[in-house]
Amino acid sequence: MGQMGWMPRAMRWSWVLAAVAAVCCLATILVFAPGYLSPDSLDQLRQAEGKKPLTDWHPPVLSLVWRALIAVTGSITSMLVLQCLVFWAALWVLARCVWRLTASRGGSLAVLGLGLTPFVLTFVGVVWKDVHAAFALLAACAVAFTGLLLRDGAPRPAVRWGLLWLGVLFLAYAMLVRKNAFVAAIPVFVMLVLALWGAPGRRTWVTCTAALVAGLVVPAAAISLFAAPLQTKQGAQIMLDDLVHVLSVDELRSADVSPALRDRLVASARECERVGALSDAYWACYQRPADGLRGDSGEITSLWLREMSGHVPHYLQYRLLLFTTLLFETDYPYKAGITRNDLGVEVAHPRMEDMLGTYVKGMVEDLPWLFRGWFWLAVALVLAVRPGKGVLSMPVRALGISSAAYILGYLPIMPAANYRYVYWPAIACALGLLLLWLGRGTAAPPPAGPGATADRAVRAQPPADAGASKPSVAGGQ
């Protein structure tokens, strides 16, 4: 500490938080090395290594990023390292901002502690698009909090726009890697703009929205044009579920489609009933032809459009039944290690994997509601409706709306009742609850006036002594 005696105590605490985050990041990499991989992850790894053609069944952007990382580092573990760096760096930025806004050391440590909770840690090192989307959204939140902290210090326009583009980059990646993350990204985008400008005018909103659209459309077009992933028509998978579970076998037998597809639909409906598969018919029950859904997608789509309009009650009942299972029978809370594969990829530290599995699965048994969709939906609605007061109320409400929209957005498209589909809401709501508690003592931003910006910037600094009371205008940042 002798070498750090010249540093203000606030800065020292920021470095302490950074050290804690760095240790947690390294430990996470060791536990998950080389990254936990499911069949989906292994499929994307094969595409990243060029052992399979690039397809759009899974987001091609993830495979392309992985390919670039492997080209630079020569190791597949590089994706795990990137995930952990983004995750813990985002938590560190959030923790530092919380410290600056509330002067609560315990609160800032609690933000970092979120990364060690079982319902969050369970997937931190799993290479999934759901995890990438969640971490990109969390990073965008960290950028928004940075803007909130700097806003009353009158940052230069270049700083504001630089932060906006950084946040847009994360939001665009979240939407590219998980299409339905769009509904979760919009509230975070609104939070980002409000954090940077406070009360943006119409022109600012239009410019920021244009930046978000450009950040999404340009890379999507570039991937389609230059990488040219094989079109798999994966969207027909959801329609297939509806057809074989909403229509009766007799209705499928008389469907106006080709005889080969008709036979596959009938056989799929019977097989799903036999094995009790409520969803995911493409993998559980469907007799998949060599080209997957590419050849059948057109007829499946046309049949779905014709039939669902005449089976609205049955369709709604089926979708509500699926959604109920996501809320109350959420499964797959833990991905154990690496699925057996022909690539020779295995868990680097099996005993650490066993330790993690014991921790997570033990908490699933003791506190199952932490891994249930209904709990996080309830928390999200509370945060959206009652975000508290003070400077943290706006981020709390944004996190609640983002989480609720993400969960409810699965109502028409949910393929299975997996916990990973509520992973972002679990992270966002846990953070929102913590911010709601910490924000109780912060004041709402005072109205701006001549000279008020500089005055608030000076007064809003955290106290030199960590034990001092919270700054009276901390909420102004």
Side-chain angles (χ1 to χ4, degrees), residues 130-276:
D130 312 84
V131 177
H132 278 233
F135 290 178
L137 291 170
L138 185 67
C141 291
V143 175
F145 265 74
T146 302
L148 190 66
L149 189 66
L150 298 177
R151 188 176 67 198
D152 286 339
R156 291 174 298 179
V159 174
R160 272 190 175 138
W161 288 106
L163 288 173
L164 176 78
W165 275 107
L166 181 60
V168 163
L169 175 66
F170 287 121
L171 291 173
Y173 182 77
M175 290 184 281
L176 286 171
V177 82
R178 199 69 164 108
K179 296 175 183 177
N180 61 308
F182 172 81
V183 294
I186 295 305
V188 177
F189 170 72
V190 173
M191 173 175 66
L192 175 66
V193 177
L194 291 177
L196 288 170
W197 278 275
R202 181 180 301 177
R203 182 175 180 179
T204 301
W205 278 114
V206 171
T207 306
C208 293
T209 303
L212 179 64
V213 173
L216 180 63
V217 171
V218 171
I223 290 172
S224 178
L225 181 63
F226 297 107
L230 179 66
Q231 302 296 310
T232 59
K233 309 296 183 182
Q234 189 260 352
Q237 182 182 4
I238 304 300
M239 299 179 189
L240 177 63
D241 264 348
D242 293 336
L243 290 172
V244 301
H245 290 98
V246 173
L247 273 61
S248 67
V249 171
D250 289 338
E251 288 172 324
L252 290 172
R253 191 178 289 117
S254 61
D256 184 18
V257 293
S258 65
L261 176 58
R262 188 186 306 125
D263 291 343
R264 283 195 289 274
L265 291 174
V266 171
S268 180
R270 287 174 171 169
E271 180 64 11
C272 283
E273 183 177 4
R274 186 186 72 82
V275 301

Side-chain angles (χ1 to χ4, degrees), residues 117 187 207 394 398 447 451 460:
T117 55
T207 306
M394 184 271 291

Side-chain angles (χ1 to χ4, degrees), residues 97-103 145 148-149 391-392 442 471 474-475 477:
C97 290
V98 165
W99 157 243
R100 294 289 303 277
L101 291 168
T102 68
F145 265 74
L148 190 66
L149 189 66
V391 69
L392 298 180
T442 61
Q477 292 200 34

